[in-house]
Amino acid sequence: MLAGLVLFSAFSFAQKPDSLPKSPIDSVATVKKDSTHKPEPRKPEKPDPIKPYKEVINDSAISKTGLFTVHKVDDKWYFEIPDSLFNRDILVVTRFDKVPGGAGIYAGEIVNQQMVRFVKGPDKNIYLQLKMTIAQADSTNAIYRAVLNSNADPYLASFPIKAYGPHHSVVVEVENLFLDDNPALSFRSSTRKSLSIGGLMKDRSYIQSIHTYPINTEIKTVKTYVSQPAPPQPGQPFNRSRSFDAASDVGLITVGFNHSFLLLPKTPMQPRLFDPRVGYFADGFTRYGDDQQRVKDERFIVRWNLQPRPEDYQKWKSGQLVTPANQIVYYIDPATPKKWRPYLIAGVNDWAKAFEKAGFKDAIVAKPWPENDTTMSMEDARYSVIRYFASDIENAYGPNVHDPRSGQILESHIGWYHNVMKLVHDWYMIQAGPIDKRARKMVYDDELMGDLIRFVSSHEIGHTLGLRHNFGSSSTVPVELLRNKKWVEAHGHTPSIMDYARFNYVAQPEDNIGPKGIYPRIGEYDDWAIRWGYSYSGATSPKEDQKITNKWIVENLSKNPRLWFGTETDPYDPRSQSECLGDDNVLASEYGIKNLKVVLKNLPEWTYEEGNLYENLDEMYNQVIGQFNRYMGHVLKNVGGIESTPKSIEQQGDVYSPTPTAMQQKAVAFLNDQLFTTPTWLLDTAVLDKISTPATEETLYRLQKGILGSLISATRLQRLSFCSERYGRDNTYQPEALLSSVEGNLFKELSGNQVISFSRRALQKAYVDGLIQDLSPDKSAVNDQLQAILGGAYAESDVPSLVRGHLIALQSKLAAAAGSYQDPMSKYHLQDLLFRVNKALDMK
């Protein structure tokens, strides 16, 4: 959600008068007796809908004091809103409290989040107004009025005033707000569509409870909806979209919600402006001002508001280590199995050292949930919790709830799926099995599984502190150092826990590297990122702060390249990749393949469990294939790669540069050798004959075809062509060199009339079909998308000419070879290829 703040004016009205109204006699004007004058008949007065306080909140009321004073009178619920809360920003966070099964949604997950205000309106009404944080201007600027008039915020609900409170407050009835299908307190429209949520059934919905606290009020509701998933269309899989089981069975679902009304700070925290050289999540808005000569989009990082205790403020400013006034506390869901709780706690507490770099000691801690404290609720927006989900999903995630005006993190509910243990088990066996004996079985000892849980816990906590994935961190490590026992155990195999580096798959059995050199851990980059985001700068404005923090970046990155941040969103930079290690993708992948061969050879033994029907072997073989595919993808990204290194003008060097030609040549040679020359070691019949029939489509072929299609795609050829134009042919890898290298390898059998194997025939067909598609990119939906991306310039570029030239040359080779081949299947195959090429080149 974009962030910003525009104040929208609201109508006001007078408070309840101190004196009672005059009697009807007092209100009638006095007239002289006049026989000719007849007073006009008096109109009956409308009854005042505002009742005396004691008539509305009577002696039977059950009342609780907090952010709002909450009253329950019989079956009615009332909020007593003090004048001090009108026009104050309030964050409404809606979470699932109870959910039906079957849709992959769990209690504790967020449903909706909006910023609102209670405002006074005409006709003695109160309105709940949505605050769209899009644009901001200082109210002292003339342009403020223009911003205000162009950013009117909608009213979500209205409440007639029922009574005036005794302490400058108003009383409104609120059950309709929570029992109607209000868009700010229910499913987002996209969620409604994906889950096939229909209309609300109000007769089967109710308010379960309302509790109020000093800065928040918590409302639990139960709602029933019509929900009828659309049946799958012909040719679509049965489970085409998510749906709850109850929706499929009876067409209805009942859901429990928890709505948190959390009062935001009256004065927002001073933001720290976003910088792409340090990986933080960001929010922002459009800034307008009288002194501008151009409109500015202002983006700021998402972080906790750590401040020292008042008595330690001067120490903190001088750089001394202090204890924060408010610790960052994460609670462990009591639904978490007890034996895993210490490891989750350790993963949180591991961040304490990083915060010391920013000047805070004991800044962050994890604690068990106090199960006997009835005053606390896990849905309460004041508490951060690691929520444990009974789910077969292999995942965990770390979101946060933050103030959209400043980026201040308010709380987080980490989603921890029970089956994440299968995910880390499979990763560890495949990547670390050759170098750690503990990884060679289907059920790990608690200590090993606990260590794996701990690293995932640290990673997800990092997200809730504001940190994004740093996919480039591992690329700062020379590959050979990953095999150096002393070095890698001291420094770790990546400088960041926020990388997707997983485990040290480069290390070989003879390196004798222990767990410290295998597991991810909080590293140098993480310490630096926390220091940059949370340290005191002394600035009194965001712009002044930005100048200071820019100097920190320039100084620290010049001293230590391991502090580099590589974004997870760059599609072209081969340094920034998921689950990748080292500064040389080819060398790292060669080491990885050596270890994969060891894994595959030992899979029957490592997956053995008495009575198992080879399900374990099947699953882990597919993990081997998946890991092999990752290595191919890591190398592939180098071809047509464009390295991107954000810099300020104080830093030396270019921001953009092509991947060196030598590296691209090396990558293509690797793919030719390791993938397009059939990796027969993956076709181990000792495994395949246990888990698949020969009639099953070949998994390895699909992998080969996918990588080949991407390698010779029009988008990659176009990137190579663009780089050649900008940097010169002598300084870049050429698209014709790519096609010549791949084609020379794929059709090398033709020179000696060698029998063409099944897998090679399949690849040759894929290559020819790929070139034909590249020749006419406007003939398919995929290439329509390409045309849009490239601005319609593809047809005028050199790539179609290059592709046509290769098809013409290949046409001659195929014609000559088809007439001389003796092997029948090879001959038929070449004739088929020739027919395809002829048809493509003869298109009118």
Side-chain angles (χ1 to χ4, degrees):
M1 179 174 65
L2 290 175
L5 184 60
V6 176
L7 302 181
F8 185 73
S9 62
F11 297 97
S12 62
F13 56 85
Q15 291 294 312
K16 181 182 178 182
D18 294 331
S19 60
L20 294 173
K22 295 180 180 180
S23 69
I25 294 176
D26 292 331
S27 64
V28 177
T30 303
V31 295
K32 293 181 179 180
K33 292 182 179 181
D34 187 341
S35 59
T36 63
H37 178 78
K38 294 183 179 179
E40 294 181 5
R42 187 166 170 231
K43 296 179 181 180
E45 294 184 355
K46 293 181 180 180
D48 190 348
I50 302 178
K51 305 294 183 184
Y53 184 81
K54 280 296 184 181
E55 285 188 21
V56 179
I57 310 302
N58 57 38
D59 292 339
S60 68
I62 301 172
S63 302
K64 300 174 183 178
T65 303
L67 175 66
F68 308 116
T69 298
V70 177
H71 307 282
K72 186 178 184 186
V73 182
D74 300 326
D75 60 346
K76 297 183 180 299
W77 292 91
Y78 298 92
F79 278 3
E80 186 173 334
I81 307 173
D83 284 355
S84 60
L85 284 184
F86 284 104
N87 297 310
R88 284 290 302 273
D89 292 327
I90 296 171
L91 198 65
V92 182
V93 181
T94 299
R95 296 184 182 278
F96 289 112
D97 180 52
K98 296 283 191 301
V99 292
I105 291 174
Y106 300 92
E109 293 190 292
I110 198 164
V111 181
N112 207 334
Q113 174 181 319
Q114 302 290 348
M115 189 167 71
V116 301
R117 284 182 174 183
F118 284 96
V119 298
K120 294 178 179 179
D123 301 325
K124 300 178 181 179
N125 280 328
I126 302 300
Y127 292 98
L128 182 66
Q129 184 181 31
L130 181 69
K131 296 306 298 178
M132 298 294 293
T133 49
I134 298 173
Q136 181 174 350
D138 193 293
S139 60
T140 62
N141 283 207
I143 199 173
Y144 171 76
R145 185 177 298 276
V147 172
L148 190 73
N149 293 336
S150 298
N151 291 274
D153 293 323
Y155 292 129
L156 298 170
S158 65
F159 312 90
I161 296 175
K162 297 297 183 181
Y164 291 107
H167 303 294
H168 301 288
S169 58
V170 298
V171 176
V172 296
E173 189 176 337
V174 296
E175 60 260 20
N176 284 340
L177 172 64
F178 301 111
L179 292 181
D180 289 342
D181 203 11
N182 194 292
L185 303 173
S186 183
F187 300 101
R188 292 180 180 272
S189 59
S190 59
T191 307
R192 280 183 176 278
K193 185 176 181 180
S194 67
L195 293 173
S196 301
I197 303 297
L200 174 71
M201 307 193 74
K202 199 168 180 177
D203 64 324
R204 278 162 264 190
S205 304
Y206 58 91
I207 297 173
Q208 184 175 342
S209 66
I210 301 181
H211 297 285
T212 191
Y213 307 96
I215 64 168
N216 64 303
T217 297
E218 306 292 323
I219 305 95
K220 287 186 182 292
T221 61
V222 175
K223 294 183 177 181
T224 300
Y225 296 88
V226 175
S227 181
Q228 295 181 328
Q233 299 299 314
Q236 292 180 333
F238 180 74
N239 293 319
R240 180 176 54 84
S241 62
R242 294 187 304 166
S243 64
F244 295 106
D245 289 346
S248 301
D249 291 345
V250 297
L252 299 171
I253 60 166
T254 298
V255 180
F257 293 111
N258 186 90
H259 312 285
S260 295
F261 280 66
L262 177 63
L263 182 66
L264 293 176
K266 196 168 190 176
T267 302
M269 174 187 75
Q270 178 173 293
R272 177 153 292 171
L273 298 183
F274 172 78
D275 194 298
R277 294 167 293 179
V278 189
Y280 272 84
F281 293 110
D283 211 330
F285 47 74
T286 301
R287 169 77 69 180
Y288 294 89
D290 289 355
D291 295 331
Q292 290 175 331
Q293 293 190 11
R294 59 185 295 180
V295 175
K296 183 175 180 60
D297 288 332
E298 191 167 291
R299 300 180 69 203
F300 43 78
I301 68 170
V302 172
R303 58 175 179 158
W304 292 86
N305 186 16
L306 281 185
Q307 298 290 331
R309 296 174 298 188
E311 63 269 25
D312 292 333
Y313 196 78
Q314 291 303 320
K315 293 180 180 178
W316 181 57
K317 288 175 66 176
S318 65
Q320 297 183 53
L321 203 60
V322 299
T323 302
N326 295 297
Q327 220 180 16
I328 302 171
V329 180
Y330 291 83
Y331 291 98
I332 308 301
D333 189 337
T336 306
K338 291 183 178 179
K339 65 181 177 180
W340 305 132
R341 296 179 192 179
Y343 299 102
L344 287 170
I345 289 173
V348 177
N349 295 343
D350 285 344
W351 281 100
K353 287 290 184 184
F355 278 98
E356 291 182 3
K357 307 292 184 183
F360 295 101
K361 62 181 179 180
D362 303 323
I364 184 170
V365 68
K367 301 177 181 179
W369 181 262
E371 298 184 54
N372 296 323
D373 189 342
T374 58
T375 67
M376 293 178 63
S377 166
M378 284 193 293
E379 282 73 35
D380 188 333
R382 294 176 299 166
Y383 302 119
S384 294
V385 184
I386 300 180
R387 298 295 298 260
Y388 203 90
F389 302 148
S391 169
D392 61 356
I393 295 174
E394 300 175 26
N395 197 16
Y397 68 95
N400 63 64
V401 172
H402 65 268
D403 186 339
R405 307 167 305 171
S406 66
Q408 178 184 345
I409 297 175
L410 305 170
E411 59 92 6
S412 172
H413 281 220
I414 293 172
W416 192 276
Y417 299 92
H418 182 64
N419 213 30
V420 72
M421 289 185 285
K422 180 183 184 303
L423 183 69
V424 294
H425 168 276
D426 294 353
W427 285 344
Y428 202 67
M429 176 182 282
I430 296 303
Q431 297 179 16
I435 58 175
D436 188 347
K437 294 180 180 179
R438 301 175 302 164
R440 301 169 186 174
K441 53 186 176 181
M442 292 304 296
V443 179
Y444 288 166
D445 297 338
D446 287 352
E447 181 182 3
L448 173 57
M449 181 55 70
D451 287 345
L452 304 183
I453 286 173
R454 179 175 181 171
F455 113 73
V456 177
S457 173
S458 287
H459 179 91
E460 301 305 337
I461 288 294
H463 287 316
T464 69
L465 301 176
L467 300 183
R468 290 163 51 193
H469 289 131
N470 183 354
F471 280 4
S473 186
S474 55
S475 71
T476 64
V477 181
V479 170
E480 293 298 348
L481 285 180
L482 299 174
R483 299 190 58 191
N484 184 313
K485 177 178 174 64
K486 182 178 179 180
W487 189 93
V488 78
E489 289 183 2
H491 297 89
H493 67 285
T494 175
S496 178
I497 192 77
M498 303 314 297
D499 200 343
Y500 259 26
R502 313 306 190 201
F503 306 105
N504 188 353
Y505 59 75
V506 166
Q508 299 296 298
E510 62 269 23
D511 300 333
N512 299 312
I513 290 172
K516 287 186 177 180
I518 303 175
Y519 302 158
R521 55 180 157 172
I522 295 169
E524 292 172 66
Y525 166 81
D526 307 307
D527 291 344
W528 152 245
I530 293 296
R531 177 184 162 198
W532 181 85
Y534 286 88
S535 290
Y536 174 71
S537 72
T540 58
S541 71
K543 288 185 177 179
E544 182 186 357
D545 182 76
Q546 185 179 37
K547 293 178 181 179
I548 295 170
T549 56
N550 173 60
K551 291 179 181 178
W552 293 352
I553 294 173
V554 173
E555 179 183 351
N556 284 273
L557 288 185
S558 66
K559 292 178 181 178
N560 188 357
R562 287 168 60 81
L563 304 184
W564 184 65
F565 169 72
T567 174
E568 69 275 57
T569 60
D570 192 321
Y572 305 132
D573 193 334
R575 300 172 301 170
S576 297
Q577 299 201 60
S578 171
E579 304 184 56
C580 190
L581 291 183
D583 63 347
D584 184 329
N585 301 135
V586 170
L587 182 58
S589 295
E590 287 173 346
Y591 281 130
I593 289 172
K594 286 182 68 175
N595 278 333
L596 269 188
K597 291 178 179 178
V598 174
V599 172
L600 183 57
K601 181 180 178 181
N602 290 280
L603 267 193
E605 177 186 347
W606 295 358
T607 60
Y608 176 84
E609 284 185 309
E610 186 174 353
N612 185 267
L613 299 176
Y614 292 112
E615 295 98 339
N616 292 344
L617 184 61
D618 189 11
E619 287 181 7
M620 298 313 298
Y621 176 76
N622 284 317
Q623 290 290 337
V624 169
I625 292 290
Q627 188 67 24
F628 178 77
N629 189 34
R630 289 187 191 99
Y631 297 149
M632 300 303 110
H634 294 162
V635 173
L636 173 66
K637 197 171 180 181
N638 287 273
V639 185
I642 301 173
E643 297 180 0
S644 174
T645 308
K647 295 180 179 182
S648 64
I649 59 174
E650 297 86 0
Q651 294 173 286
Q652 299 296 314
D654 295 326
V655 173
Y656 299 103
S657 60
T659 298
T661 299
M663 186 64 216
Q664 298 197 53
Q665 291 171 332
K666 187 177 175 182
V668 174
F670 172 92
L671 294 173
N672 278 333
D673 293 342
Q674 299 285 357
L675 181 63
F676 303 145
T677 300
T678 307
T680 54
W681 63 272
L682 280 170
L683 305 176
D684 187 342
T685 55
V687 173
L688 293 179
D689 286 348
K690 304 290 193 304
I691 63 174
S692 67
T693 169
T696 304
E697 185 179 356
E698 180 56 62
T699 301
L700 178 59
Y701 163 63
R702 295 199 304 272
L703 189 159
Q704 290 176 309
K705 182 180 178 182
I707 297 292
L708 177 61
S710 178
L711 179 63
I712 64 170
S713 66
T715 52
R716 196 177 307 274
L717 295 174
Q718 184 79 317
R719 283 203 307 278
L720 289 169
S721 180
F722 285 161
C723 287
S724 176
E725 182 66 24
R726 174 179 291 190
Y727 301 104
R729 292 180 60 86
D730 294 339
N731 301 314
T732 55
Y733 188 56
Q734 297 300 303
E736 57 263 36
L738 166 61
L739 292 182
S740 295
S741 178
V742 173
E743 189 175 303
N745 173 67
L746 287 181
F747 291 91
K748 61 185 177 183
E749 292 93 344
L750 273 60
S751 61
N753 284 355
Q754 301 172 31
V755 173
I756 307 173
S757 67
F758 168 79
S759 61
R760 297 284 286 185
R761 295 196 299 268
L763 275 177
Q764 290 171 6
K765 287 186 176 75
Y767 177 79
V768 168
D769 289 345
L771 288 189
I772 292 171
Q773 181 171 304
D774 291 345
L775 186 63
S776 304
D778 56 336
K779 298 298 182 183
S780 70
V782 172
N783 285 299
D784 285 342
Q785 184 181 14
L786 169 66
Q787 290 255 341
I789 294 171
L790 299 177
Y794 180 78
E796 289 78 37
S797 75
D798 289 333
V799 175
S801 305
L802 168 68
V803 170
R804 184 175 296 276
H806 271 265
L807 281 173
I808 291 172
L810 186 57
Q811 184 182 43
S812 299
K813 293 179 184 178
L814 293 172
S820 60
Y821 253 82
Q822 299 300 313
D823 176 64
M825 196 64 244
S826 298
K827 186 181 185 71
Y828 301 150
H829 162 70
L830 294 174
Q831 290 172 340
D832 179 41
L833 289 183
L834 183 59
F835 174 80
R836 299 184 192 200
V837 172
N838 288 339
K839 183 177 180 182
L841 293 176
D842 194 39
M843 289 176 61
K844 297 181 181 178

